[in-house]
């Protein structure tokens, strides 16, 4: 299998996650963070950067974990089996999207420099990839035993 085919399978597998549930969790988490920031923070546009970043992280976390666990409705069973066998490759799709969207959101909504936004995005995307990969690996090893 070529690297291009592997990337396509990883992205296709990631689309099988429970994305509606992920949207609900992300929205609730972002709203809660915004509520806390409104009560305790200063009133400016940058007050939105943290909650939006958290909402994106939760959205991709729930969707990515659901994709590697095989949760999320109907879909091709072969694709679900591939995702269960390759959780680290599937984890890269949501992590990459989180990186891009988080950098854009932090650059637009806050006073952070582009370098600071990129650094924040990299460590958040890395954390997301590790969590999704570990959950998928642990679940896969439990299925095999």
């Amino acid at each position: 299998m070529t690297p291009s085919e592997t990337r396509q399978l990883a992205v296709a597998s990631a689309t099988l996650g429970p994305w509606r549930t992920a949207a609900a969790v992300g929205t609730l988490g972002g709203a809660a963070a915004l509520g806390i920031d409104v009560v305790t923070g200063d009133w400016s546009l940058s007050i939105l950067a943290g909650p939006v970043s958290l909402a994106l992280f939760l959205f991709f976390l729930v969707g990515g974990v659901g994709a590697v666990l095989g949760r999320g409705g109907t879909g091709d069973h072969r694709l679900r089996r591939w995702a269960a066998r390759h959780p680290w490759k599937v984890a890269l799709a949501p992590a990459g999207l989180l990186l891009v969207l988080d950098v854009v959101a932090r650059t637009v909504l806050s006073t952070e420099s582009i370098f600071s936004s990129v650094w924040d995005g990299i460590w958040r995307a890395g954390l997301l990839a590790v969590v999704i990969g570990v959950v998928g690996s642990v679940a896969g090893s439990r299925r095999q035993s």
Side-chain angles (χ1 to χ4, degrees):
M1 188 176 302
T2 68
S4 175
E5 291 170 333
T6 302
R7 279 191 304 271
Q8 290 173 351
L9 280 172
V11 171
S13 298
T15 63
L16 297 176
W19 294 105
R20 287 185 182 161
T21 304
V25 170
T27 301
L28 289 174
L34 180 62
I36 291 169
D37 282 351
V38 164
V39 170
T40 62
D42 62 314
W43 294 83
S44 66
L45 183 61
S46 63
I47 200 170
L48 297 175
V52 167
S53 184
L54 178 66
L56 287 169
F57 184 84
L58 291 173
F59 172 73
F60 286 115
L61 178 68
V62 171
V65 167
V68 296
L69 293 180
R71 312 267 196 288
T74 62
D76 187 358
H77 295 290
R78 293 173 294 175
L79 197 54
R80 289 195 186 280
R81 280 194 307 270
W82 187 90
R85 281 190 223 115
H86 303 93
W88 291 98
K89 292 179 182 177
V90 175
L92 293 178
L97 285 170
L98 174 65
L99 173 62
V100 171
L101 293 175
D102 191 52
V103 167
V104 169
R106 287 190 163 278
T107 302
V108 170
L109 295 175
S110 74
T111 58
E112 285 183 10
S113 69
I114 186 72
F115 300 110
S116 178
S117 297
V118 169
W119 173 249
D120 285 345
I122 287 172
W123 76 261
R124 284 184 176 92
L127 178 64
L128 180 72
V130 167
V131 170
I132 293 172
V134 167
V135 168
S137 295
V138 169
S141 66
R142 285 189 174 188
R143 278 186 226 131
Q144 291 174 354
S145 52

